[in-house]
């Protein structure tokens, strides 16, 4: 539709701008995502108070001009803690999703390209993982490996792995006999090179959507695990554990302790979900005009 | 009919490798304890000799394959190991706590199906209408709201602000006496003996956690119902039915819904998976004395046998549920044969 003389990069940018204009919600999602990234990068430097510094004289104060989100039972500033926690929460979920992306891609590509017993074994393993209620499996993995933040990352990565492996396997499988693959074979490219450079890039667009949707789920999962007391240790600021601590005060009416970290968590998940929908609009060829 | 029996039998057979896989994973998880399990189980004051004794008693000196066979043998006898926390066999603990969790989960699922399916139908009938937007809102909120956060919010609004709900501590206020155990479900047990005071007491305690869980599970059901109804309503046989002058009611519920229910039933499997996980969080928020709380307490107390027993039994429950869903699927839809897969 667009001018054939323009470069693909400019076309992509134009398409991006079109999707943004077409759907303000997507624009909002990308803007919020940028805000979260900034919070994660610069949050600790910008917050007004030390997130770990307690001050018993200011315990359990409701939100005010000096403490926007109030203070908790130890007098720590909730606003600072919520902002600082962004880095930890995003790191856990991004690391987990990155791990499952890399390993899921490798496993899925190998199984989809060569097939045979590798494929059969992988399918059995994935079936077994999916046979567990996933959050419960994550609990079991963390309990078995030990109660640390790294193990939360590994557990979240393992329960996300099947989604990536299956997606890549399907995308690779339908293309392994395609014309361009045959051509690459004839021109003497090795199998691994064909897989990595010719076939795999085709699987990337649906993977991007999956990543975005998964990030939201990974954050929820990690926060859920720390809510029940796994992984992150108490003085540390993390949304799940802050809601858990705040829950003890909700029945006596101190709502700000649990509300703000929960709200931030919710907004992060919401952002990733909306962004996933937006990315789908971006990469779905049927929507391109 | 024999063909259908055969296909059901085949489906049951397909579950066998999955069950084996689940047992293997669960075995690996119990053996992957950080450090030496024998040292851990012997306790802090143990010397070399007692550690060796424990090692022999637990069978840890045998080869992995032998250990696995012993583990499977124990499981077949219903032996999930001993809980350090309660001093009881894990299987007994789980069975005692299961009714509380099941009562909560089943009520929540009934509520969410009862609300989400009509909502999805209404949304699909008038895309872009107010109901459609309501449906989209529920779906978006359902996937973004952390269950534990919803629970905390509901407690604040309905317990602290409005005072409608009782204090979020357990299944029954201490002013009531627990009904005699028949099914273990307080609602049913109290209804059997006609003790309506206890019945409503239990219902009040149950309301908030069940609503929390239901809000969470409504999203996938509503989304799936809407999508399935949309595609069915635009198909030819619906147009034909409308053209033949059938009433809207007959078209919607007699033809469209019956076809749209199939994908919805399939999603229920995924919904169960999420529910069993979310259950743990909701039980923690409401101090609900079910298996979820039991697992969380066991985690905090590093009671590994209890945790892995919980994980294994949840997985087996989930496999069984999926089996039931698939079989009922084949009963609903005569076109489905398992041989074709």
């Amino acid at each position: 539709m667009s001018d054939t003389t323009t470069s693909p990069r400019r076309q992509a940018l134009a398409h991006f701008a079109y999707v943004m204009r077409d759907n303000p919600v997507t624009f909002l999602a990308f803007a919020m995502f940028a805000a979260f990234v900034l919070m994660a990068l610069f949050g600790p430097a910008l917050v007004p108070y030390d997130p770990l510094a307690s001050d018993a004289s200011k315990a359990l104060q409701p939100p005010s001009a000096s403490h926007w989100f109030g203070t908790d039972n130890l007098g720590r500033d909730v606003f600072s803690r919520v902002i600082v926690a962004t880095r930890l929460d995003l790191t856990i979920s991004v690391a987990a999703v990155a791990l499952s992306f890399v390993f899921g891609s490798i496993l899925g590509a190998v199984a989809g390209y060569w097939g045979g017993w590798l494929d059969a074994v992988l399918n059995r393993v994935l079936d077994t993982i999916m046979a567990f209620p996933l959050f419960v499996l994550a609990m079991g993995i963390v309990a078995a490996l030990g109660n640390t933040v790294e193990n939360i990352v590994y557990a979240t990565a393992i329960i996300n792995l099947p989604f990536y492996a299956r997606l890549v396997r399907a995308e690779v499988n339908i293309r392994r006999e395609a014309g361009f693959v045959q051509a690459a074979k004839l021109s003497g490219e090795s199998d691994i090179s064909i897989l990595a450079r010719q076939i795999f890039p085709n699987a990337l667009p649906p993977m991007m959507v999956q990543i975005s949707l998964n990030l939201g789920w990974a954050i929820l999962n990690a926060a859920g695990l720390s809510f029940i007391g796994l992984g992150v240790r108490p003085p540390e600021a993390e949304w799940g554990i802050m809601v858990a601590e705040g829950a003890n005060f909700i029945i006596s009416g101190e709502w700000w302790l649990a509300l703000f970290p929960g709200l931030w968590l919710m907004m992060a998940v919401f952002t990733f979900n909306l962004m996933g929908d937006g990315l789908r609009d971006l990469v779905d060829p049927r929507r391109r005009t | 009919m024999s063909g259908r029996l055969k296909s059901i039998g085949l489906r049951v057979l397909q579950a066998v490798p999955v069950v084996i896989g689940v047992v293997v994973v669960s075995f690996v998880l119990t053996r992957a304890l950080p450090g030496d399990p024998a040292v851990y189980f012997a306790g802090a004051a143990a010397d070399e000799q007692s550690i060796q004794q424990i090692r022999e008693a637990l069978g840890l000196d045998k080869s992995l394959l032998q250990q696995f066979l012993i583990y499977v043998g124990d499981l077949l006898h219903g032996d999930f190991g001993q809980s350090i926390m309660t001093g009881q066999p894990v299987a007994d603990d789980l069975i005692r706590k299961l009714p509380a969790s099941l009562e909560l989960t089943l009520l929540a699922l009934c509520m969410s199906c009862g609300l989400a399916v009509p909502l999805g139908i209404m949304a699909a009938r008038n895309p872009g209408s107010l109901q459609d937007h309501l449906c989209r809102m529920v779906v978006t909120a359902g996937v973004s709201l952390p269950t534990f956060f919803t629970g905390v919010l509901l407690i604040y609004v309905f317990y602290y602000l409005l005072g409608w709900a009782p204090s979020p501590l357990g299944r029954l206020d201490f002013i009531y006496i627990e009904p005699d155990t028949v099914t273990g479900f307080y609602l049913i047990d109290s209804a059997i003996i006609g003790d309506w005071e206890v019945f409503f007491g239990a219902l009040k305690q149950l309301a908030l956690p069940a609503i929390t869980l239901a809000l969470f599970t409504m999203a996938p059901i509503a989304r799936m119902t809407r999508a399935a109804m949309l595609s069915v309503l635009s198909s030819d046989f619906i147009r034909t039915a409308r053209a033949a002058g059938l009433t809207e009611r007959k078209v919607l519920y007699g033809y469209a819904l019956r076809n749209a229910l199939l994908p919805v039933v399939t999603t229920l499997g995924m919904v169960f998976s999420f529910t069993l996980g979310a259950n743990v969080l909701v039980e923690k928020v409401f101090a609900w004395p079910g298996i979820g709380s039991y697992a969380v307490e066991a985690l905090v107390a590093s009671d590994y046998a209890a945790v892995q027993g919980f994980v294994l039994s949840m997985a087996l429950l989930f496999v069984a549920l999926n089996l039931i869903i698939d079989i009922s699927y084949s009963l609903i839809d005569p076109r489905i044969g398992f041989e074709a897969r």
Side-chain angles (χ1 to χ4, degrees):
Chain A
M1 291 295 271
S2 54
D3 191 358
T4 44
T5 55
T6 49
S7 67
R9 182 182 296 265
R10 178 165 296 173
Q11 262 186 18
L13 270 177
H15 181 64
F16 183 76
Y18 166 75
V19 170
M20 289 297 168
R21 271 199 307 276
D22 184 45
N23 193 348
V25 176
T26 310
F27 176 72
L28 182 73
F30 277 91
M32 278 169 71
F33 176 65
F36 272 112
V37 171
L38 288 179
M39 262 186 255
L41 289 178
F42 304 112
L46 294 178
V47 290
Y49 297 91
D50 179 352
L52 298 179
S54 53
D55 180 356
S57 65
K58 288 184 187 163
L60 291 176
Q61 283 180 357
S64 62
S66 55
H67 294 279
W68 291 355
F69 292 175
T71 57
D72 67 5
N73 54 322
L74 298 176
R76 295 173 297 193
D77 181 45
V78 176
F79 176 73
S80 303
R81 285 173 69 73
V82 165
I83 300 294
V84 167
T86 312
R87 184 182 283 181
L88 182 58
D89 273 273
L90 283 195
T91 311
I92 293 177
S93 51
V94 168
V97 168
L99 275 180
S100 39
F101 173 79
V102 170
F103 286 97
S105 299
I106 295 173
L107 290 174
V110 168
Y113 191 71
W114 279 287
W117 64 268
L118 264 173
D119 193 22
V121 169
L122 180 75
N123 267 325
R124 280 288 84 96
V125 171
L126 296 183
D127 278 351
T128 308
I129 294 179
M130 297 293 284
F132 283 89
L134 293 176
F135 185 77
V136 173
L137 178 62
M139 282 172 65
I141 293 173
V142 176
L145 293 181
N147 192 352
T148 62
V149 175
E150 292 92 76
N151 290 334
I152 296 266
V153 173
Y154 297 140
T156 312
I158 290 174
I159 61 174
N160 276 320
L161 190 75
F163 300 103
Y164 293 93
R166 289 225 166 116
L167 191 68
V168 173
R169 187 195 160 277
E171 294 285 333
V172 169
N173 199 275
I174 51 172
R175 290 192 177 84
R176 70 177 194 182
E177 304 292 342
F180 67 91
V181 174
Q182 308 262 355
K185 267 188 190 158
L186 275 177
S187 66
E189 243 184 288
S190 70
D191 276 340
I192 293 189
S193 161
I194 291 176
L195 195 51
R197 292 177 41 208
Q198 309 288 347
I199 303 184
F200 185 67
N202 285 297
L204 278 176
M207 295 286 274
M208 297 311 293
V209 177
Q210 179 73 26
I211 285 178
S212 181
L213 295 175
N214 247 100
L215 273 173
W217 197 61
I219 289 189
L220 268 187
N221 212 70
L225 287 174
S226 58
F227 178 79
I228 59 174
L230 288 178
V232 188
R233 299 289 175 168
E236 192 100 18
E238 193 275 344
W239 296 329
I241 208 163
M242 287 175 75
V243 175
E245 286 168 354
N248 299 326
F249 294 92
I250 205 90
I251 45 173
S252 50
E254 281 94 9
W255 50 271
W256 55 92
L257 262 63
L259 179 79
F260 291 111
L263 216 56
W264 243 245
L265 174 60
M266 195 186 91
M267 283 203 311
V269 181
F270 195 57
T271 302
F272 286 123
N273 284 337
L274 283 181
M275 215 170 67
D277 291 341
L279 280 175
R280 188 175 341 207
D281 290 351
L282 262 178
V283 301
D284 190 350
R286 277 169 303 182
R287 286 270 318 230
R288 277 192 193 170
T289 47
Chain B
M1 195 58 211
S2 69
R4 181 165 295 178
L5 273 181
K6 199 177 144 202
S7 72
I8 290 175
L10 271 173
R11 179 61 188 81
V12 173
L13 274 183
Q14 278 177 6
V16 172
V18 176
V19 170
I20 293 173
V22 164
V23 171
V24 170
V25 169
S26 150
F27 171 73
V28 171
L29 287 179
T30 54
R31 288 299 176 270
L33 286 179
D36 188 343
V39 175
Y40 171 75
F41 282 113
D47 55 6
E48 198 56 41
Q49 199 176 1
S50 61
I51 289 175
Q52 190 57 33
Q53 273 174 356
I54 296 260
R55 186 168 290 141
E56 275 162 29
L58 290 173
L60 291 168
D61 51 344
K62 299 191 175 67
S63 73
L64 268 184
L65 186 67
Q66 274 177 314
Q67 287 187 36
F68 179 67
L69 292 177
I70 294 171
Y71 178 74
V72 172
D74 285 349
L75 288 187
L76 287 177
H77 290 110
D79 180 3
F80 283 51
Q82 201 82 13
S83 162
I84 303 172
M85 187 173 54
T86 61
Q88 303 282 318
V90 172
D92 292 0
D93 280 345
L94 288 175
I95 288 172
R96 205 175 52 245
K97 306 235 171 201
L98 191 62
S101 297
L102 277 184
E103 188 174 34
L104 173 61
T105 311
L106 290 179
L107 185 73
L109 278 178
C110 288
M111 275 167 58
S112 69
C113 284
L115 286 171
V117 171
L119 187 65
I121 295 173
M122 279 194 306
R125 276 182 71 185
N126 320 298
S129 68
L130 197 66
Q131 292 100 321
D132 194 17
H133 287 300
L134 183 68
C135 178
R136 187 166 304 143
M137 226 176 71
V138 165
V139 168
T140 323
V143 292
S144 320
L145 270 174
T147 16
F148 52 89
F149 183 53
T150 334
V152 170
L153 279 188
L154 288 180
I155 291 177
Y156 180 67
V157 173
F158 290 101
Y159 170 70
Y160 181 77
L161 285 185
L162 298 173
W164 293 355
S167 63
L169 294 167
R171 297 179 78 184
L172 206 53
D173 207 313
F174 59 88
I175 55 168
Y176 301 110
I177 301 159
E178 289 180 21
D180 299 330
T181 308
V182 183
T183 56
F185 291 18
Y186 282 4
L187 287 184
I188 297 177
D189 286 354
S190 58
I192 289 174
I193 52 172
D195 191 343
W196 298 109
E197 212 176 320
V198 172
F199 179 85
F200 286 111
L203 190 63
K204 267 194 215 160
Q205 294 282 7
L206 198 52
L208 280 193
I211 291 172
T212 310
L213 208 49
L215 278 177
F216 174 72
T217 51
M218 267 175 80
I221 302 177
R223 180 168 50 190
M224 204 60 216
T225 312
R226 179 178 178 277
M229 274 306 266
L230 267 181
S231 76
V232 169
L233 281 177
S234 64
S235 60
D236 288 344
F237 70 91
I238 293 295
R239 198 176 46 193
T240 312
R242 288 220 168 102
L246 292 180
T247 58
E248 186 64 21
R249 202 187 157 79
K250 180 86 180 157
V251 171
L252 261 186
Y253 299 104
Y255 291 90
L257 184 61
R258 276 180 63 184
N259 282 283
L261 269 185
L262 292 169
V264 175
V265 171
T266 322
T267 9
L268 273 184
M270 209 60 216
V271 171
F272 267 122
S273 166
F274 291 143
T275 315
L276 292 177
N279 210 20
V280 179
L281 298 172
V282 173
E283 284 186 12
K284 165 101 162 71
V285 174
F286 291 92
W288 196 256
I291 47 175
S293 292
Y294 175 72
V296 171
E297 282 162 27
L299 271 175
V300 173
S302 304
D303 187 353
Y304 295 110
V307 177
Q308 302 307 352
F310 165 75
V311 174
L312 178 65
S313 52
M314 283 297 100
L316 292 179
L317 182 66
F318 184 47
V319 171
L321 283 170
N322 270 329
L323 194 62
I324 294 170
I325 286 174
D326 278 9
I327 289 173
S328 65
Y329 197 87
S330 83
L331 295 179
I332 300 172
D333 188 354
R335 291 169 304 180
I336 298 287
F338 290 105
E339 297 94 323
R341 288 191 188 167

